[in-house]
């Protein structure tokens, strides 16, 4: 219970390398700073990840979204975020081109726009749901708190 029923859909295009322009890339040939890595959303892999006992992050973004680019440039490269992201499996949903399937995903996960980040704890339950730009310190805190195992009562 609690896992939305999703229609079968093949994996979307590549993950990290195909996330659109890198707003922090330099023209001088310098390597970009490390960043949180995302796998392209695939419903089967996502559901398996949620059942695995690992925390899971689901990130909805689009190439045309300025706050998404800011998330990549500032938040997803911050050392505190990279540290807090250890052990979390991240998936990306590309909202650049609308589709029927994307509409189903947005409705299933209550996504009103980009960027939206949803964190599921080790128990597979939603722990955080945020819309809009998230500053690095808040994002790192959300990852740390949301990825803790549930406490027994």
């Amino acid at each position: 219970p609690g896992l939305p029923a999703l229609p079968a859909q093949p994996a979307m295009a590549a993950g990290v390398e195909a996330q659109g322009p890198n707003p922090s890339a330099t023209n001088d040939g310098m390597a970009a700073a490390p960043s949180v890595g995302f796998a392209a959303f695939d419903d089967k892999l996502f559901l398996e990840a949620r059942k695995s006992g690992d925390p899971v992050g689901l990130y909805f973004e689009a190439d045309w979204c300025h706050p998404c680019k800011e998330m990549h440039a500032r938040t997803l490269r911050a050392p505190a975020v990279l540290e807090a992201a250890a052990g979390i499996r991240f998936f990306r949903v590309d909202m650049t081109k609308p589709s029927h399937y994307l509409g189903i995903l947005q409705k299933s996960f209550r996504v009103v726009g980009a960027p939206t980040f949803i964190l599921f704890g080790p128990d597979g339950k939603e722990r955080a749901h945020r819309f809009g730009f998230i500053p690095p310190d808040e994002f790192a805190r959300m990852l740390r708190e949301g990825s803790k195992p549930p406490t027994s009562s």
Side-chain angles (χ1 to χ4, degrees):
L3 297 178
L6 301 174
Q9 173 75 12
M12 292 184 182
V16 177
E17 303 308 321
Q19 290 185 4
N22 179 349
S24 65
T26 61
N27 291 331
D28 61 8
M30 298 296 291
S35 179
V36 171
F38 294 88
F41 181 83
D42 172 272
D43 48 15
K44 182 179 180 207
L45 295 176
F46 173 74
L47 291 173
E48 288 172 3
R50 281 194 51 196
K51 294 176 183 178
S52 72
D54 292 332
V56 177
L58 183 58
Y59 184 55
F60 288 77
E61 69 172 351
D63 290 347
W64 43 257
C65 168
H66 180 72
C68 300
K69 292 177 183 183
E70 190 176 0
M71 286 283 293
H72 279 278
R74 293 183 46 208
T75 302
L76 300 176
R77 297 183 185 288
V81 170
L82 293 173
E83 184 179 322
I88 300 174
R89 295 178 63 181
F90 292 90
F91 292 88
R92 174 189 186 259
V93 176
D94 185 353
M95 296 175 60
T96 302
K97 294 180 183 174
S99 70
H100 178 71
Y101 182 68
L102 177 59
I104 292 170
L105 288 177
Q106 286 180 262
K107 186 174 181 180
S108 296
F109 291 104
R110 302 175 334 274
V111 173
V112 296
T116 295
F117 183 78
I118 307 168
L119 182 65
F120 300 90
D123 56 0
K125 295 181 181 175
E126 186 176 304
R127 301 279 185 90
H129 192 121
R130 292 279 305 266
F131 168 67
F133 174 78
I134 308 169
D137 57 337
E138 287 181 38
F139 195 74
R141 183 172 39 256
M142 181 176 59
L143 293 179
R144 284 191 304 270
E145 291 172 5
S147 61
K148 291 178 184 172
T151 56
S152 301
S153 32

